Amino acid sequence: RSSAQALLRFLGFVFWATAAAQAFGGVLVILIFKNYRYLFQESYLSLPGWLAIAAALILLPTGVLAVSISIKSSRNQQGTFMYLLLLLLCLEMSSAVLAHVYSIRTAAQLESAMGYLVYQHNGSCSQDPESRVVDEVQRKMQCCGIHNYTDWLKARAASWHPTACVPQSCCKEKYSHCRGHLSHLEQLSQEGCLKKLEDHLWFVMLYVFWCCIVLSILELLAAVSNGILMRHQPFQNFRFL
């Protein structure tokens, strides 16, 4: 019993600490789909992030109950604690599964979405309001084209706009006078946007996935510890469970 109380008290403090990590992962997921919403058609892709934030909020009172039960057992608190752990397990596993599935689905969409944006670009060296979508991606990610800058040459050759430059958004930040001309390749970002976007998306989804898995294991340990303590309580009036 003393070991179960010590473990439950420790897990209570861990729940408080991991709530911040869980919320951080959820915010990252929401932001990445908000910032690059023009690359993804489905609005529900940020759902794993919202589930992670909901779980993080529930982790705070769950941690309080864990510490309280480890000090002085109460049947009402123990029953509420079990309910919260069950709810958390549902949220964590749902978020983990969705993060894994969506990371695979969105990775398949990225190349076609980027290809469409590149081939729909205005085909000139100047900035155009209609081309701000792909320019914003290249500026944020410090990249150029789908795989590299040569994608712009292929796109413009196909659209009958042969030019000796790429969009100014391909320019590196330190070159303020860069105009995207191919005669100054050292001023252009050499990496393609597809790889950078895929890596960024995969990192965020993997972070949320493993946060959920680790927390699910800790919640199962907390449930076992709470169950051990409940065995030492009288079995009358346990109908609230």
Side-chain angles (χ1 to χ4, degrees), residues 21-41:
Q22 182 84 340
F24 176 71
V27 170
L28 284 180
V29 172
I30 294 170
L31 287 179
I32 192 173
F33 286 110
K34 180 181 179 181
N35 292 336
Y36 303 109
R37 58 188 177 277
Y38 33 76
L39 294 176
F40 309 102
Q41 300 299 322

Side-chain angles (χ1 to χ4, degrees), residues 159-189:
S159 59
W160 302 97
H161 289 288
T163 58
C165 66
V166 295
Q168 294 180 29
S169 55
C170 285
C171 296
K172 296 178 181 177
E173 290 183 346
K174 61 181 180 180
Y175 295 107
S176 57
H177 301 292
C178 172
R179 292 296 177 266
H181 291 283
L182 297 179
S183 56
H184 301 285
L185 286 178
E186 73 282 354
Q187 298 179 357
L188 305 177
S189 300

Side-chain angles (χ1 to χ4, degrees), residues 106-124:
T106 52
Q109 295 178 359
L110 277 176
E111 186 168 7
S112 60
M114 282 298 300
Y116 174 80
L117 290 175
V118 167
Y119 279 86
Q120 289 297 314
H121 201 270
N122 63 355
S124 68

Side-chain angles (χ1 to χ4, degrees), residues 199-217:
D199 290 344
H200 189 37
L201 178 66
W202 185 253
F203 170 78
V204 170
M205 289 300 197
L206 201 63
Y207 177 87
V208 172
F209 176 81
W210 282 112
C211 272
C212 292
I213 295 299
V214 171
L215 278 170
S216 297
I217 295 172

Side-chain angles (χ1 to χ4, degrees), residues 35-57:
N35 292 336
Y36 303 109
R37 58 188 177 277
Y38 33 76
L39 294 176
F40 309 102
Q41 300 299 322
E42 297 87 353
S43 58
Y44 59 80
L45 292 175
S46 60
L47 183 57
W50 291 110
L51 291 177
I53 291 177
L57 294 176

